[in-house]
Amino acid sequence: MQQKIIILDFGSQTTQLIGRRVRELDTFCEILPYNKFPADDPSVIGVILSGSPYSVHDPQAFRVDLSQFVGRLPVLGICYGAQFISHSNGGKVERTNTREYGRANLQSFDATNPLFKGFEPNSQVWMSHGDTITAIPSDCHVIASTADVKYAAYASSQNPLWAVQFHPEVFHTTQGKQLLRNFVVDICGSRQEWSPASFVETTVAELKAQLGNDRVILGLSGGVDSSVCATLLNRAIGKNLTCIFVDHGMLRKNEFQKVMDAYQGLGLNVIGVDASEKFFADLKGVTDPEQKRKIIGRDFVEVFNAEAKKITDAKWLAQGTIYPDRIESLSITGMVIKSHHNVGGLPKEMHLQLCEPLKWLFKDEVRRVGYQLQMPERLIKRHPFPGPGLAVRILGDITPEKVRILQDADDIYIESMLQYVCEDGELLYDKIWQAGAVLLSTVRSVGVMGDERTYEHPVALRAVTSTDAMTADWAHLPYDFMAKVSNEIINKVRGVNRVCYDISSKPPSTIEWE
């Protein structure tokens, strides 16, 4: 039985980072809403309570029945989690005049406590809270303090329970990974058996049990997520898998044929469907980004429904949905960052069940699984590309001509990146998490070409570095590369007379513009 850590999400922006840190310890974890603890799951070896945007005193604050796991399993409360545990058990949490935010140092800590094993004196931590704990439960004792926070960490004398008011999951807590290792491995007893190899073995077995001899349809995009998903399914059910690649007309230049060709060596049964006319018609005049995504999602399902009827015995629709897709589409606080057309279930009329074997993985984990499956490197290293395609990289309404302009500009950008060799010998493309061009079709820019005055569109180039797309920084591209790309786009792409570079990070921006 595979061990797991349960992370209860109280709405913190860094909950996913906790999950990543646990996975980096070769331990599987599930991030669940604060009120969805799986009480009867024998594979759970520990529980982590995340931070939250709320104060424990807010009427709308998220609350959980701690008796479900406190005393039964090792528990670690982080920030709000630590405050909620104290507040719920006779301690005291009070509002402070100033928000405790930023770097701090542990002026004292209990080196004999297993949570702080291996810690160095004056270790740096990261604080981010408006309330502070001023008294802890009677069965608890302080195990770490900073200059301003007496109860930076505390532990129970009766139960396997620890709590910290700082964030061990973030980079600025210099020994945060050590603290989480102490909890997950030493305290919870993780065997550290979760790996790409174990994921493949477990997932293939689960797919065989789940699907049996049923026929499955999979939507392929050419990206690493759907490619890995297809390869896993192919290993599990072979000929019972039928892959469908829908061309909605907003793919990259020549991508439809490139994608079809890429799967020939994988032994997949792939059907290509050109539905671009339908998508363009339904998107005509639509400018709102969320509306674009929803229309594309609806049409995507309709096209699949039509194809599913041709495969009369199909019972499942598989999708390469990964964890960041689900996080940005579904939130316990009710806020949706953006809709994904492959998230949120299927309409009843489709008559297919949903299969998402990658739904708990981050992008870099999907890539490691791809290497474990011995897939072609060109598929594994391919940059992420949004499901709605260039529709969300064109500001304003969508027309075939605007798509043509952006396809040409994007092709120059990406192909140049694939050919540019950096000083260390690595391709520039491989150093970038995601890159693409954006057409600012709602803006016109004055330019001069030869003796003529032009009034055409600017193109913005975007390139970011990241490990999981939850956060991203803008890539510092070489000046000579940008100069060459800008010159080539302006000279070769009809309809563009200006090239800009986006230097925004995520957060506060997103990777895509829409």
Side-chain angles (χ1 to χ4, degrees):
M1 179 169 53
Q2 178 175 257
Q3 297 175 319
K4 72 174 71 166
I5 297 288
I6 293 296
I7 300 170
L8 293 181
D9 181 17
F10 288 84
S12 170
Q13 292 182 346
T14 60
T15 300
Q16 292 73 45
L17 280 179
I18 304 173
R20 285 205 49 76
R21 300 297 177 250
V22 173
R23 299 274 186 92
E24 288 168 1
L25 296 169
D26 300 321
T27 304
F28 185 69
C29 68
E30 286 189 20
I31 300 174
L32 300 176
Y34 68 96
N35 57 353
K36 299 295 183 182
F37 178 74
D40 299 323
D41 189 342
S43 66
V44 179
I45 60 171
V47 182
I48 297 176
L49 279 59
S50 82
S52 175
Y54 294 120
S55 161
V56 295
H57 300 292
D58 290 341
Q60 69 269 39
F62 300 133
R63 295 173 173 83
V64 64
D65 180 4
L66 295 172
S67 66
Q68 296 176 92
F69 40 81
V70 171
R72 293 182 48 237
L73 293 164
V75 177
L76 174 64
I78 295 175
C79 196
Y80 175 90
Q83 295 176 356
F84 179 77
I85 292 170
S86 178
H87 179 71
S88 303
N89 289 280
K92 185 179 290 186
V93 178
E94 295 182 289
R95 298 184 186 278
T96 59
N97 293 327
T98 59
R99 183 175 171 85
E100 294 169 342
Y101 181 84
R103 294 175 178 84
N105 297 91
L106 298 182
Q107 288 194 337
S108 64
F109 62 88
D110 182 358
T112 66
N113 191 283
L115 194 67
F116 289 105
K117 185 184 77 173
F119 262 57
E120 299 172 356
N122 213 38
S123 186
Q124 178 179 287
V125 297
W126 185 264
M127 295 287 185
S128 179
H129 53 266
D131 294 350
T132 194
I133 298 171
T134 56
I136 55 177
S138 58
D139 68 320
C140 295
H141 55 282
V142 63
I143 57 174
S145 302
T146 70
D148 299 316
V149 181
K150 179 180 179 181
Y151 301 108
Y154 65 90
S156 170
S157 304
Q158 299 177 3
N159 297 307
L161 182 149
W162 291 261
V164 296
Q165 284 203 84
F166 55 88
H167 286 270
E169 70 274 19
V170 303
F171 173 77
H172 297 296
T173 297
T174 52
Q175 291 189 276
K177 188 171 182 178
Q178 178 67 37
L179 186 146
L180 290 172
R181 173 183 288 276
N182 291 341
F183 178 74
V184 171
V185 179
D186 296 345
I187 293 172
C188 297
S190 168
R191 296 188 296 264
Q192 296 185 280
E193 295 175 336
W194 193 87
S195 66
S198 67
F199 175 82
V200 170
E201 181 181 356
T202 301
T203 303
V204 169
E206 289 175 349
L207 289 171
K208 286 180 178 179
Q210 178 187 27
L211 304 174
N213 291 319
D214 293 349
R215 289 287 297 276
V216 179
I217 298 173
L218 169 67
L220 282 176
S221 68
V224 62
D225 303 335
S226 65
S227 300
V228 171
C229 183
T231 306
L232 275 171
L233 282 162
N234 192 45
R235 183 169 291 193
I237 62 173
K239 58 182 177 58
N240 283 343
L241 172 67
T242 300
C243 301
I244 299 173
F245 178 38
V246 176
D247 182 3
H248 49 39
M250 288 151 285
L251 300 172
R252 282 176 163 154
K253 189 173 183 178
N254 301 323
E255 186 166 20
F256 183 73
Q257 192 55 50
K258 288 179 181 177
V259 168
M260 294 297 288
D261 292 343
Y263 291 117
Q264 287 183 353
L266 292 177
L268 300 176
N269 175 28
V270 185
I271 298 171
V273 181
D274 182 359
S276 55
E277 188 174 332
K278 172 181 175 59
F279 282 86
F280 277 121
D282 291 348
L283 285 167
K284 186 175 181 179
V286 177
T287 59
D288 180 71
E290 271 297 289
Q291 192 65 17
K292 289 181 190 177
R293 289 179 177 271
K294 289 175 180 177
I295 289 171
I296 291 171
R298 182 199 67 202
D299 286 2
F300 183 82
V301 170
E302 288 179 6
V303 171
F304 258 89
N305 202 11
E307 291 299 319
K309 290 178 181 178
K310 300 175 185 177
I311 307 173
T312 56
D313 56 346
K315 295 183 179 180
W316 298 83
L317 174 66
Q319 293 180 335
T321 312
I322 64 171
Y323 197 57
D325 295 340
R326 302 168 69 237
I327 292 300
E328 291 189 333
S329 295
L330 305 171
S331 170
I332 64 171
T333 62
M335 181 179 294
V336 175
I337 298 175
K338 61 187 178 184
S339 296
H340 290 259
H341 72 269
N342 61 337
V343 173
L346 300 169
K348 293 180 180 179
E349 65 269 17
M350 197 162 187
H351 305 299
L352 294 175
Q353 300 177 74
L354 191 60
C355 175
E356 297 175 301
L358 306 179
K359 65 183 180 180
W360 290 108
L361 297 189
F362 292 91
K363 181 74 72 173
D364 60 319
E365 293 173 327
V366 174
R367 287 196 169 105
R368 291 201 294 271
V369 169
Y371 281 114
Q372 181 65 35
L373 291 167
Q374 298 182 319
M375 293 172 58
E377 194 169 52
R378 68 182 183 276
L379 286 178
I380 297 172
K381 287 189 173 183
R382 194 170 187 265
H383 287 179
F385 188 66
L390 300 180
V392 291
R393 292 182 179 176
I394 297 173
L395 274 59
D397 64 325
I398 308 299
T399 67
E401 175 60 13
K402 291 179 181 179
V403 171
R404 192 275 309 164
I405 293 172
L406 186 54
Q407 283 178 332
D408 288 346
D410 181 82
D411 186 60
I412 290 171
Y413 183 35
I414 298 302
E415 287 303 313
S416 297
M417 197 170 279
L418 282 164
Q419 295 169 17
Y420 189 93
V421 180
C422 300
E423 291 182 358
D424 60 3
E426 188 177 2
L427 286 178
L428 179 59
Y429 183 89
D430 293 340
K431 290 178 176 289
I432 304 301
W433 171 267
Q434 186 170 346
V438 179
L439 180 64
L440 310 186
S441 69
T442 57
V443 177
R444 287 190 179 273
S445 168
V446 176
V448 177
M449 293 186 179
D451 294 326
E452 295 183 5
R453 183 182 180 89
T454 62
Y455 198 50
E456 296 177 334
H457 299 297
V459 161
L461 303 181
R462 181 78 160 136
V464 298
T465 57
S466 181
T467 57
D468 54 28
M470 301 306 301
T471 60
D473 195 12
W474 62 277
H476 295 225
L477 299 180
Y479 285 167
D480 61 329
F481 169 80
M482 290 197 289
K484 176 180 179 297
V485 168
S486 174
N487 187 62
E488 193 169 347
I489 289 174
I490 292 172
N491 286 338
K492 294 184 177 180
V493 181
R494 188 178 70 257
V496 175
N497 66 356
R498 191 178 296 270
V499 173
C500 310
Y501 187 57
D502 182 350
I503 58 171
S504 309
S505 296
K506 175 186 179 180
S509 302
T510 56
I511 295 176
E512 298 293 342
W513 278 44
E514 290 192 342

